[in-house]
Amino acid sequence: MSDVASYSPRTAAWARRRRSFSDGISRLRKDRVAMIGLVVLVGFVIMALIAPWMSPRGGLSAVDSINNPTWHPPSRDFPLGTDHLGRSVAAQFVWGSRVSLLVGFAATVLTITIGSLVGISAGFFGGWTDAVLMRLTDWFLVIPFLPLAIVLAAVLDRSIWNIILVIGVTSWPSTARLIRAQVLTVKTRLYVDRARALGASRPHIVARHILPNVAPLILASVTLAVPIAILTETTLAFLGLADPTQNSWGKTLEEAFGAGAIGRNAWWYHFPAGLGIVAVVLAFTLFGRGLEEILDPRLREEGARR
Amino acid sequence: MSELLRLAGVHVTYQSSGRSGVVRAVDGIDLTVDRGEVLALVGESGCGKTTLIRAIIGLEPMTSGSIVFDGATVATGQRELRRLRRRVQMIFQDPTGALNPRATIYEAVAEGIRIHGLAGPEPELVATALAQAGLRPPERYMPRFPHEVSGGQRQRVLIAGAMVLGPQLLLADEPVASLDASVRGEILALMRVLVDTTGISIVAVTHDLGLAWNIADRIAVMYLGRIVEVGDAEEVLADPLHPYTKALLSVVPEADRMEQQILVGETPDPANVPSGCRFHPRCPLVASGEAERLGIIDRCRSVDVQLVASPGGRRSVACHAVRLPNDG
């Protein structure tokens, strides 16, 4: 029995996780579209992280840029030209990626946390809990999103954290519905019955059986929630509801629009931010779809049947 | 033998959502199980036999009735159920579905140990249970996943996971129905060995009288939520008294000495239980005119029939046409 005594379930569990992780990676690698998305994403994240070294923050200040030429097309000194105040568009682009990605990730964390809690409680407990939570979800779903976000953003102080809060509390309902649906199918699996017959408590069933089988779906919906959050931030910033001290891509667009960049045909002012948003959103969506296909058991089963 | 489990007037009913009315899945069951006894619960699909054993372990809410286990009435609170579920365990018809695909065999067996906080070195408890269930050497099976072993082995994993808690009663829901014919015998033999070595009692639900013949000490035949005949396995199989039992037995391939009786009529619907004896619309005695000749046809159609025990109490039948013999 020496083999038995030395058997460690924890080691075995880790070996298994490593195996399924590397299995997932190798499947992801074969998905070229998802890999393109991932590479673009990693590029933007690196840019956001090293922004202070790429371009001094002073480039964002109109006072520090007082001696720069205004409306200057791209040149060697200003790779993306300058705006109506002589500020470097390149600096705005680089620093703007920070705000956009931060808001995207942070709002997603909030969205997914609320959505998962509501979805799992509603699906698992059912009955009254389900009815109340789902009516609440419906209520949030049918509220016209933009007016609510505008009202909230206008009522609250204009800080980046309030923008995150606004996006978080308005975009969780679809996540909640998705996760509830998956919990409902997992809940009826026979292994949940077996756990109950073994005497398992509800927390045990949720932690050991429901969560592990819902987690892949949660992870996949994360990657699809980020681009929505980024687009929402852009919208709010474009409407002038964002933190005026933070340069996001949406704010760049708003300022370019306000300064008449389109009328002056100063394409270098609004194109970088616009293309940056499109690229990040597209990259997240491509990567998210690929990840979803690997992680969502329903999509995988369909793939296997085909 | 002393009594381990006593069911009295157990009902499980559901509100049916589509039509008006209630579905009487289990409609008044009185039954006892002795220690070290294998009881086979036999009946067609939909007769409520699975619902009954799920009610015993609290997986289905009992509408009325009482369950006495080991001398104490079973309460339905969470804590009481949890205590009960260490002494009563269950295995399932579909061992593939009953094992979480993301958990190893080790984890599946260890789950009960962790839930109940059993003392002792966990790997050795798991190994002993696996070996007891015939998975030897156990360390070879521990790190595997359910999909990496055969269906029969998966059922053994379920048995190990149940037996590791040292239960007094094992509920088996169609334990071999989903398995290949070649491994059915092995699983049944294993169950018999468990009874003989540990003194556990087993209630096995089955639609297969052959299985009942192989491992059961006693047989209870269910029809539409009621027990229609109970008795020692040999007596019930050799000398069935209830017309439903006779019909079931007559279609077992080995029972060549009997004339086959194919039951006519609609399959029973627990949402719409017939008046009188619930079996009368399909009863061969009624169909052949035998009931009319005995002069009981009106009672068959209008008087609900109760389970009547023989003077010795070992045999009970619910049929207007049957007079129980004095048993020894």
Side-chain angles (χ1 to χ4, degrees), chain A residues 185-223:
Chain A
T185 65
V186 172
K187 192 173 78 164
T188 60
R189 300 276 156 82
L190 197 54
Y191 54 78
V192 174
D193 267 356
R194 172 175 180 260
R196 288 173 65 201
L198 280 170
S201 59
R202 284 169 173 180
H204 175 99
I205 291 173
V206 170
R208 292 275 153 187
H209 297 287
I210 306 278
L211 255 186
N213 286 291
V214 177
L217 192 74
I218 295 178
L219 191 56
S221 58
V222 163
T223 54

Side-chain angles (χ1 to χ4, degrees), chain A residues 1 3-5 7 9 13 16 19 189-191 193-201 204 208-209 212-213 216 300, chain B residues 54 57 59 82 85 89 92 94 97-102 106-108 111 115-116 123 127 139 142-143 145 158:
Chain A
M1 285 287 212
D3 285 348
V4 169
Y7 180 83
R16 189 184 77 237
R19 223 176 20 246
R189 300 276 156 82
L190 197 54
Y191 54 78
D193 267 356
R194 172 175 180 260
R196 288 173 65 201
L198 280 170
S201 59
H204 175 99
R208 292 275 153 187
H209 297 287
N213 286 291
R300 197 187 327 180
Chain B
R54 287 173 62 92
I57 200 169
L59 288 178
R82 192 180 145 104
R85 284 167 177 171
Q89 270 300 304
F92 297 86
D94 170 22
L99 291 167
N100 187 337
R102 290 173 183 273
Y106 179 92
E107 285 161 345
E111 190 168 5
I115 287 168
H116 292 281
E139 62 271 16
M142 286 176 175
F145 282 94
L158 281 191

Side-chain angles (χ1 to χ4, degrees), chain B residues 21 75 124 286 319:
Chain B
E124 279 177 28
V286 173
C319 179

Side-chain angles (χ1 to χ4, degrees), chain A residues 131-143 172-173 177:
Chain A
V132 170
L133 286 176
M134 279 302 109
R135 290 305 76 75
L136 188 71
T137 308
D138 289 344
W139 190 67
F140 269 98
L141 267 179
V142 296
I143 290 178
W172 58 266
R177 284 211 159 262

